[in-house]
Amino acid sequence: MDDAVDVWIAPAGDDSRATAHALLLSLSRTLVTDPVLQHAANGRPEITGLAVSLSHSRSLVAVAARRTGSIGIDLEDVYPRSVSGLARRWFDAEELEWMAGDLHAFLRLWTAKEAVGKALGVGLRNSGLRRRVPFADGPVDSVPGLYVVRLPLEGAVLAVALDDPPPAIVVTEHHDTALRSTVRSRTSFPVVVRGN
C-alpha cells in the first residue's frame, strides 16, 4: 500500500541512536531509491521523498515512514518508576485525574504528546507537554487535522501521530531472526504485521 504508514521496531542494541538510524535507512530503502539520512537544524531526521520519524528507549528503537503527509513516533519502555512529579508538573487536572497515578496511562499521554510534537516538527518546544492529546486513539483537538494512534507493544508504549489517517499501519518487528507473529490493533486503523 503506497499510502500506508510503515513502522519498524527492533532491539536497541549497544547504541540505540545508531540502531535507530540504521533501521530508518533500511526501512527507507524499501520506499525510495538511495535514501540519504540528514538532520534538520533542530535534529529532526530527514530523508528526501519521505516523512520520517524515530524514537529509541533503553531496550527498543522504533522508526516510521510514509510517502506523504507528516508523521511523529514516540516509544517508552514500561518499567517501575515514579512519574507523579513529572505528571504534576506537565499535565493538567483532567489528565492527572484520567491517569490516576497509573504508569501505563502516564506513558500513553507522554508518548502521544512527544509524537504530536515530532509530527509538527517542533518536538516538545512551544508547550508540547502541555498540548492536549486524546486519551484514546483519535483526533488531536488542540491541533486540528492531526491524529494519534497507539500501537500495542509488549513491554513498551508506542504512539504515532499523523496528519492524515492511512489505510493501514504496517508494523514490522525485527527480533534477530525470530519475529512476533501477531499484534492486535486497539486502534480504528488497520494494523498489518510483517516479518523481516
Side-chain angles (χ1 to χ4, degrees), residues 119-138:
L120 294 173
V122 296
L124 292 178
R125 287 178 305 206
N126 301 323
S127 300
L129 286 174
R130 297 200 189 280
R131 187 179 295 117
R132 292 299 308 265
V133 295
F135 298 137
D137 294 349

Side-chain angles (χ1 to χ4, degrees), residues 55-57 72-79 81-92 95-96 98-99 102-119 123-125 127-136 148-150 157-161:
S55 183
H56 49 88
S57 66
I73 191 168
D74 194 58
L75 167 77
E76 289 287 337
D77 292 328
V78 176
Y79 60 87
R81 61 186 178 241
S82 174
V83 294
S84 58
L86 280 173
R88 281 192 310 275
R89 180 174 178 189
W90 296 109
F91 292 177
D92 66 27
E95 291 169 327
L96 289 170
W98 179 81
M99 69 167 265
D102 178 67
L103 173 64
H104 196 262
F106 169 85
L107 293 174
R108 286 177 56 85
L109 286 174
W110 188 273
T111 57
K113 289 172 185 272
E114 287 255 23
V116 166
K118 290 178 180 182
L124 292 178
R125 287 178 305 206
S127 300
L129 286 174
R130 297 200 189 280
R131 187 179 295 117
R132 292 299 308 265
V133 295
F135 298 137
V148 169
V149 179
R150 280 105 172 169
V157 175
L158 179 68
V160 178

